[in-house]
Amino acid sequence: MSQPRAPFRYTPLKQGQIRLLQPPTNADDVSWSLITVSLHERDFDALSYTWGDQSCRCSFICNDQEFLISQNLKSALPYLATRDSFLPIWIDAVCINQSDEAEKYAQIPRMHNVYRRAVQVWVWLGDGQAYNPEVVHEAISLLPLIGGLRDELSMHSTFKPGITPHSKGLPSFASPCWRIIHELSMNPWLSRLWVVQEVALARRVRILYGTNEISWEVLGTVSQCPSLIASRMAKADGQKAPLFEIRADNRHNLFYVREYMENQIHWTERLLHMVQLVYRNLCSDPRDRIFGILGFAAEHELDQMGLRSDMTIVKLYTTFTHFLLKNNSPTNKDWWRLLEKATFVRKRPGLPSWCPDYYSLADPAAGPHIELEDPFTWGGSCPYHASINTDVAEQGENPNVIFLLGKILDTISAVYPQHPDITIYHCSAEGYKQLMFDLGIWERRIAEGVLGQPGLGKLPTYPSTVANPCDPEMIKVTLDDYWRTLVGNRTERGAHRCSYQDFCHFRLATDRLAALMNKWDINFDHALLMSANQALHSFMAECAFGAEGVLEPDGEAYETLELLTTITFHADLNSFLYGRRLFSTSKGWFGAGPDTIQLTDLVCILNCSKVAHILRQVGGSDGTLSYRFIGSAYVHGMMEGQIEGLAREEQIFRII
């Protein structure tokens, strides 16, 4: 029976020192040694892993004393002791005294130096003990093949019956190999914030899953495959892809960051871009949202930021954001994307309107993460160029205020009802029929408010012929302006096209869609919206046209076209208006802004921005005229620099 050991006691570190763990010298010894050295004194390795459940603590013998560690780290130690390296290893949970707040605050901001200095960074993904070792070996041997399918699967927009596991030399989805592949490609380690700097700064990365080593490049491609497998290969051989889920996070960016670090750009620009890359990565402490990416700046650079570990979360976030906005140019699209993140809902009290709540950004409930300037929304670069003026306002020293330069277009005079949210309808044929019925009523109310013509009657062949009959000084909103605003004028995205004819089918079919869905026995699920556009193109290529090249209005082919175009137009509309509301201004401008917009909000074109923005005038605490930043907006007819042709005075906006 082993003798009880005293609890582990740390010796305080001196300036420039770190602790390192040395494994037992023989297989029978279970006691590790913790030594103290200068950071630059000797070579060492470092570990990157997830702490896991901290409520389950395991005994670990170090310097002949008892230390309590997490189950995940406990399972890693035997493999780390026999890894392909004779060097001591740095492990944060042991090498930093986690019960000493002063030491933690001193060491954690400097962890990036440890990972830069480490000869190798070892990544621990788990021990795989729940599976047969032979199955684990087989699953890992399949990873290069699965990763090689990424580009092929990405070429298809939806499920392809011909792409089956068997056709690609893979085992059936019933094979236990797929559970292991899922565990690796969806591993929690891939989504943690701290690991980004740990591997991005490493000289060499080596990945362990039990006794098996996995290539960094292979894991990088495989981590991008779960959603592709789920949507392209699911049910391909009669069985669903097990466990794979389509989840929005920054998992794939972890592998991109190592390549990005090779770019020779200014450190403030790099830090600004890192916010975009890792804002969905997870951490437990809200302060880590900032400290977890500061490793991408050098020590002398960090001193310029004025950040302190004892700052409140609000002060930390505000100071960090103000520094990035002040020391980067608004000509950088990431500058505006950072501002847009400040408009997500569920922010903690006390943050300025222009400062994101970085911790809530990773929470799916924080609000729709939809940015008009996000290139991924467009399948390429953003097509808008609302401002062509590159003059910028100088930022002051007050960390609670920023300044924006631009012009006021108009004041919001009407805010229209939100469009029916597809997420509240059950994924069934009946739910989708109800959605389309509600959507039809909603769209007609919008048309009446914007165009002044209830019902519109029969839609004209040329949409520009319908104009707003109101005051002659008002902007004339044509039917063409109207339908394009419903989809943000996103008429071309890759191979996808959206046209006035699609809108006509959508409008005429919303009342008839339930009957059409019954006739064609449509069973609605999430794949319907994804596959409708592809089915539409296939249908147009294969169906029989009439003598004049148009479909017969009473034929089944016409009904099929009507159904498919209705679904695809709704998908375009839902994609653009999700999280947004339509509005009109006092002079008749028609557009869409954040769902938090209010009457009397100002529609502005701010210099250097590709999109319009909404500001709200408020009184500052000292009586100074100030504004709150509400978010980005689309205004039809104002997205190509047209503001320069209007008599609008440029002014500086004080944003609080």
Side-chain angles (χ1 to χ4, degrees):
M1 184 174 179
S2 60
Q3 295 295 320
R5 291 179 169 85
F8 188 88
R9 297 186 64 180
Y10 282 97
T11 300
L13 291 173
K14 297 179 180 178
Q15 182 70 27
Q17 288 185 329
I18 62 171
R19 302 183 184 95
L20 298 174
L21 270 171
Q22 288 186 319
T25 55
N26 61 72
D28 296 330
D29 192 355
V30 296
S31 181
W32 288 58
S33 300
L34 190 65
I35 60 174
T36 301
V37 300
S38 168
L39 175 62
H40 301 282
E41 178 181 333
R42 60 180 298 179
D43 289 339
F44 60 90
D45 290 345
L47 179 67
S48 179
Y49 70 112
T50 59
W51 281 30
D53 184 4
Q54 293 300 294
S55 64
C56 180
R57 310 288 282 174
C58 304
S59 177
F60 160 59
I61 306 304
C62 182
N63 291 0
D64 204 32
Q65 301 172 69
E66 186 177 39
F67 200 104
L68 295 180
I69 57 176
S70 69
Q71 177 60 50
N72 191 39
L73 179 55
K74 178 74 171 181
S75 68
L77 290 177
Y79 300 93
L80 295 173
T82 58
R83 73 190 189 282
D84 181 23
S85 173
F86 297 103
L87 296 174
I89 190 167
W90 187 91
I91 302 175
D92 59 353
V94 178
C95 297
I96 296 177
N97 184 353
Q98 301 295 328
S99 61
D100 184 337
E101 293 298 318
E103 179 175 312
K104 281 173 57 179
Y105 282 133
Q107 290 291 313
I108 289 176
R110 294 175 173 81
M111 281 172 53
H112 60 93
N113 290 328
V114 173
Y115 286 95
R116 287 180 193 272
R117 281 276 300 126
V119 174
Q120 300 174 117
V121 171
W122 294 85
V123 174
W124 177 251
L125 298 182
D127 58 16
Q129 289 291 327
Y131 307 103
N132 183 301
E134 294 182 359
V135 177
V136 173
H137 180 75
E138 180 185 359
I140 291 178
S141 69
L142 292 171
L143 294 181
L145 180 57
I146 294 172
L149 293 175
R150 179 193 59 182
D151 293 340
E152 179 183 350
L153 295 176
S154 299
M155 292 173 59
H156 305 291
S157 60
T158 187
F159 164 66
K160 280 285 187 180
I163 301 180
T164 66
H166 178 73
S167 70
K168 299 303 175 184
L170 298 169
S172 160
F173 281 139
S175 169
C177 287
W178 285 103
R179 291 191 172 272
I180 299 170
I181 293 166
H182 171 270
E183 182 174 317
L184 293 172
S185 61
M186 304 290 288
N187 196 283
W189 177 84
L190 296 166
S191 299
R192 300 303 296 178
L193 175 64
W194 279 104
V195 307
V196 178
Q197 72 169 6
E198 292 169 3
V199 298
L201 303 176
R203 302 187 211 175
R204 183 185 181 191
V205 178
R206 301 182 69 175
I207 303 170
L208 289 178
Y209 183 66
T211 58
N212 301 275
E213 187 166 349
I214 302 171
S215 160
W216 170 261
E217 291 74 17
V218 168
L219 184 62
T221 53
V222 170
S223 69
Q224 300 177 47
C225 290
S227 61
L228 294 173
I229 292 172
S231 59
R232 274 63 162 182
M233 296 179 69
K235 300 182 180 179
D237 63 351
Q239 303 169 65
K240 277 196 171 185
L243 304 177
F244 287 110
E245 57 186 281
I246 301 176
R247 183 174 65 188
D249 59 22
N250 289 27
R251 190 186 314 113
H252 61 283
N253 283 340
L254 173 63
F255 299 89
Y256 165 72
V257 168
R258 273 183 69 84
E259 299 178 14
Y260 177 76
M261 288 297 293
E262 298 176 2
N263 296 333
Q264 300 300 314
I265 61 175
H266 194 268
W267 71 273
T268 59
E269 184 179 348
R270 176 183 292 113
L271 206 57
L272 178 64
H273 190 56
M274 283 299 165
V275 173
Q276 311 303 326
L277 293 179
V278 305
Y279 75 91
R280 276 201 173 107
N281 288 72
L282 305 176
C283 62
S284 56
D285 187 336
R287 291 176 176 81
D288 288 347
R289 299 304 315 179
I290 307 303
F291 292 126
I293 61 173
L294 292 184
F296 296 104
E299 291 286 345
H300 69 281
E301 295 166 344
L302 291 177
D303 293 339
Q304 302 175 38
M305 300 185 70
L307 302 178
R308 302 190 314 274
S309 57
D310 61 348
M311 282 180 167
T312 66
I313 296 172
V314 168
K315 183 67 173 177
L316 180 66
Y317 286 5
T318 303
T319 304
F320 175 76
T321 306
H322 186 269
F323 180 87
L324 289 184
L325 294 176
K326 181 178 180 179
N327 292 277
N328 285 284
S329 171
T331 58
N332 184 336
K333 66 179 182 297
D334 287 336
W335 199 93
W336 294 100
R337 294 180 68 190
L338 179 63
L339 269 186
E340 187 68 10
K341 286 177 173 56
T343 66
F344 295 167
V345 297
R346 293 185 60 179
K347 287 173 59 172
R348 67 187 64 232
L351 288 171
S353 65
W354 48 265
C355 180
D357 185 339
Y358 294 94
Y359 190 68
S360 73
L361 291 179
D363 182 358
H369 294 232
I370 300 174
E371 304 169 24
L372 281 175
E373 291 200 59
D374 188 346
F376 295 104
T377 301
W378 298 94
S381 60
C382 176
Y384 304 138
H385 298 88
S387 173
I388 58 176
N389 193 329
T390 57
D391 294 337
V392 299
E394 183 177 348
Q395 301 301 326
E397 296 301 321
N398 185 346
N400 298 304
V401 177
I402 66 167
F403 297 93
L404 300 174
L405 188 64
K407 299 177 179 181
I408 298 175
L409 173 66
D410 207 354
T411 302
I412 292 178
S413 59
V415 177
Y416 300 107
Q418 289 181 295
H419 80 295
D421 183 358
I422 190 174
T423 61
I424 67 174
Y425 293 83
H426 297 293
C427 294
S428 64
E430 290 304 316
Y432 196 68
K433 292 171 192 175
Q434 183 62 49
L435 168 64
M436 298 308 293
F437 177 78
D438 294 344
L439 193 62
I441 296 176
W442 168 85
E443 189 274 326
R444 280 156 177 75
R445 290 180 62 189
I446 302 296
E448 180 175 355
V450 176
L451 300 171
Q453 298 186 22
L456 282 181
K458 182 178 180 180
L459 294 175
T461 303
Y462 302 104
S464 59
T465 60
V466 178
N468 191 324
C470 298
D471 187 328
E473 294 185 3
M474 296 281 286
I475 299 298
K476 302 298 184 182
V477 178
T478 68
L479 185 54
D480 191 58
D481 300 332
Y482 171 75
W483 80 261
R484 288 178 181 274
T485 302
L486 294 183
V487 295
N489 204 21
R490 302 190 299 181
T491 57
E492 295 186 10
R493 286 183 292 159
H496 177 64
R497 300 291 184 272
C498 180
S499 68
Y500 173 63
Q501 286 70 31
D502 295 335
F503 168 69
C504 291
H505 283 296
F506 164 80
R507 205 168 201 282
L508 295 172
T510 48
D511 292 339
R512 294 184 353 104
L513 189 65
L516 287 174
M517 291 179 71
N518 285 334
K519 180 173 182 177
W520 294 99
D521 192 25
I522 298 294
N523 291 314
F524 176 76
D525 58 26
H526 280 304
L528 181 62
L529 293 181
M530 297 174 62
S531 61
N533 185 54
Q534 180 181 352
L536 176 60
H537 287 292
S538 300
F539 170 77
M540 293 295 289
E542 297 173 3
C543 70
F545 285 79
E548 298 182 0
V550 297
L551 296 172
E552 298 297 334
D554 297 327
E556 290 187 354
Y558 187 88
E559 290 184 339
T560 304
L561 174 64
E562 189 177 37
L563 172 63
L564 293 175
T565 53
T566 297
I567 293 172
T568 54
F569 188 86
H570 171 237
D572 291 333
L573 182 148
N574 185 73
S575 173
F576 174 66
L577 290 182
Y578 181 63
R580 300 190 179 101
R581 297 182 75 168
L582 295 164
F583 64 81
S584 292
T585 72
S586 58
K587 289 297 183 182
W589 296 102
F590 184 44
D595 57 12
T596 55
I597 56 175
Q598 299 176 6
L599 297 178
T600 73
D601 282 348
L602 301 177
V603 182
C604 304
I605 305 297
L606 302 174
N607 291 3
C608 302
S609 177
K610 293 180 178 295
V611 299
H613 286 91
I614 308 296
L615 302 181
R616 183 171 300 155
Q617 185 173 317
V618 294
S621 57
D622 57 356
T624 305
L625 181 61
S626 303
Y627 302 85
R628 293 187 66 82
F629 185 81
I630 305 304
S632 60
Y634 171 89
V635 182
H636 194 76
M638 276 289 117
M639 305 303 286
E640 295 295 333
Q642 295 96 329
I643 189 72
E644 299 303 325
L646 302 180
R648 300 290 193 276
E649 182 180 353
E650 189 173 75
Q651 58 184 286
I652 295 177
F653 300 96
R654 183 179 188 267
I655 313 297
I656 60 174

